[in-house]
Amino acid sequence: MKKRIFFVFIGVFLVLTCLPILINYLMTVGSAVTSNDWIGFFGSYVGAIIGALVAVMVSNLQAKNARKDILEQIEVQETQHKEQINNQKELHKIENRSFIDYTMFESDLLLPDVDAENSFILLHHKILQFRRHNDRNTLLKCQASFIKLDLYGKSDDVLDLRIHIFLYDSEEEDDLYEAGVFKNGLKKNQSIFIPLYLSSQRDTKGLTKLIAYYTTIVGEKMKFESDLLNRRESYYVIDNEVENLIYEREMNQEFYILPGDPSYR
């Protein structure tokens, strides 16, 4: 582009320099009656050339401006289209968000009256060790404190469910026992039961916190945290390892018992 401009300037310079010399020479020869005839002829000729050059330059300038305007319009349309797609994706994620919630109760360790087809009992390390060292008859006589997790929302299931529970336990050095359990997925018509501790374990004071990580069917990572010490429950969306709070509620006035109150058998 720069070379073209350079050659155009060289050409214009040569024309402006050589043209007067040529006119002066032609005025001394030829058949024109007076020098004014030559001047008039070349004036008209040069004027036509200059007018044509100006027209071409103006046309090129208009074409460049028109092309620039079209490119800007295309860029604006692409930006709007991307924003629309991102908004649709975000709306799709929101519509398919699922929420974990839980209740606590006391019951038989093996939950013999629970529907086995759509229920799962997840065991943390201490309960698992107890189960391995006792026969079924002994287990049937044991009572345990449970949490029951259920799924809510428009979506029918979630994936990669990781649950962390924190218990007061005098057997631990810092009086806090942390345990984790995993389930590859949970459907809305299913329930997860986690025995926290056996009723005979009086040294265990109870659940202090529950955290659940899971992934929705559209790939959105979420976190549910129930802090019983501070009486607060929160839901987060995890984006690039950053937790963004989307809902939080206080539990200061929340108390409940289950129908039949199984803790008073």
Side-chain angles (χ1 to χ4, degrees):
M1 185 67 181
K2 292 182 178 180
K3 288 184 179 181
R4 290 178 60 188
I5 295 174
F6 175 75
F7 286 124
V8 169
F9 276 111
I10 292 297
V12 172
F13 175 78
L14 290 175
V15 170
L16 295 176
T17 303
C18 297
L19 187 59
I21 298 173
L22 178 62
I23 293 174
N24 182 65
Y25 170 75
L26 291 175
M27 287 173 60
T28 62
V29 298
S31 59
V33 178
T34 66
S35 59
N36 290 333
D37 294 334
W38 283 112
I39 294 173
F41 168 74
F42 281 106
S44 299
Y45 185 75
V46 172
I49 293 175
I50 294 175
L53 290 174
V54 171
V56 170
M57 293 176 63
V58 171
S59 177
N60 287 336
L61 182 60
Q62 290 176 341
K64 289 181 180 179
N65 290 335
R67 184 171 180 271
K68 181 180 178 182
D69 292 339
I70 292 174
L71 292 176
E72 289 178 352
Q73 291 178 5
I74 292 175
E75 184 177 354
V76 170
Q77 291 176 355
E78 288 179 348
T79 301
Q80 292 175 345
H81 184 61
K82 289 179 180 179
E83 290 178 353
Q84 185 178 7
I85 291 176
N86 290 334
N87 291 337
Q88 290 176 349
K89 288 182 178 179
E90 188 66 23
L91 181 61
H92 187 55
K93 286 182 180 180
I94 294 174
E95 289 178 345
N96 285 278
R97 280 178 184 167
S98 301
F99 300 93
I100 299 291
D101 202 358
Y102 73 100
T103 54
M104 293 186 290
F105 65 98
E106 194 170 294
S107 184
D108 298 326
L109 177 61
L110 299 184
L111 296 175
D113 299 328
V114 172
D115 177 20
E117 183 176 352
N118 294 308
S119 302
F120 305 91
I121 302 177
L122 301 184
L123 306 180
H124 61 79
H125 179 71
K126 286 192 174 184
I127 300 295
L128 181 60
Q129 291 300 315
F130 180 82
R131 177 181 179 275
R132 287 175 176 174
H133 291 87
N134 291 275
D135 57 28
R136 188 172 187 277
N137 289 330
T138 301
L139 297 176
L140 286 171
K141 298 176 183 177
C142 292
Q143 296 277 307
S145 293
F146 280 87
I147 57 174
K148 174 178 176 285
L149 286 92
D150 294 292
L151 181 65
Y152 303 92
K154 183 178 179 180
S155 177
D156 290 331
D157 52 6
V158 295
L159 307 172
D160 301 327
L161 179 59
R162 294 181 292 116
I163 304 164
H164 297 266
I165 57 175
F166 300 81
L167 301 169
Y168 271 129
D169 194 331
S170 62
E171 295 181 2
E172 300 297 322
E173 292 183 359
D174 57 358
D175 290 334
L176 189 65
Y177 173 66
E178 178 183 356
V181 294
F182 175 80
K183 183 74 174 61
N184 59 358
L186 176 64
K187 295 184 179 295
K188 192 180 292 186
N189 63 337
Q190 297 174 337
S191 295
I192 288 179
F193 296 87
I194 303 176
L196 302 176
Y197 54 89
L198 301 178
S199 300
S200 58
Q201 296 175 322
R202 301 302 179 187
D203 291 337
T204 302
K205 301 177 182 178
L207 181 70
T208 63
K209 182 183 292 187
L210 181 145
I211 300 176
Y213 297 92
Y214 56 97
T215 304
T216 67
I217 60 172
V218 294
E220 188 173 44
K221 298 184 182 299
M222 298 190 66
K223 171 187 173 182
F224 166 65
E225 180 175 343
S226 179
D227 186 345
L228 278 76
L229 293 181
N230 295 306
R231 306 293 294 174
R232 182 181 296 110
E233 287 188 343
S234 309
Y235 290 92
Y236 300 86
V237 169
I238 303 175
D239 186 12
N240 293 325
E241 299 184 358
V242 177
E243 297 180 357
N244 301 304
L245 179 67
I246 59 174
Y247 177 72
E248 186 174 65
R249 69 186 185 93
E250 303 289 339
M251 299 187 299
N252 292 330
Q253 302 300 322
E254 185 172 315
F255 305 97
Y256 65 88
I257 62 173
L258 296 177
D261 201 357
S263 62
Y264 283 92
R265 291 184 178 181

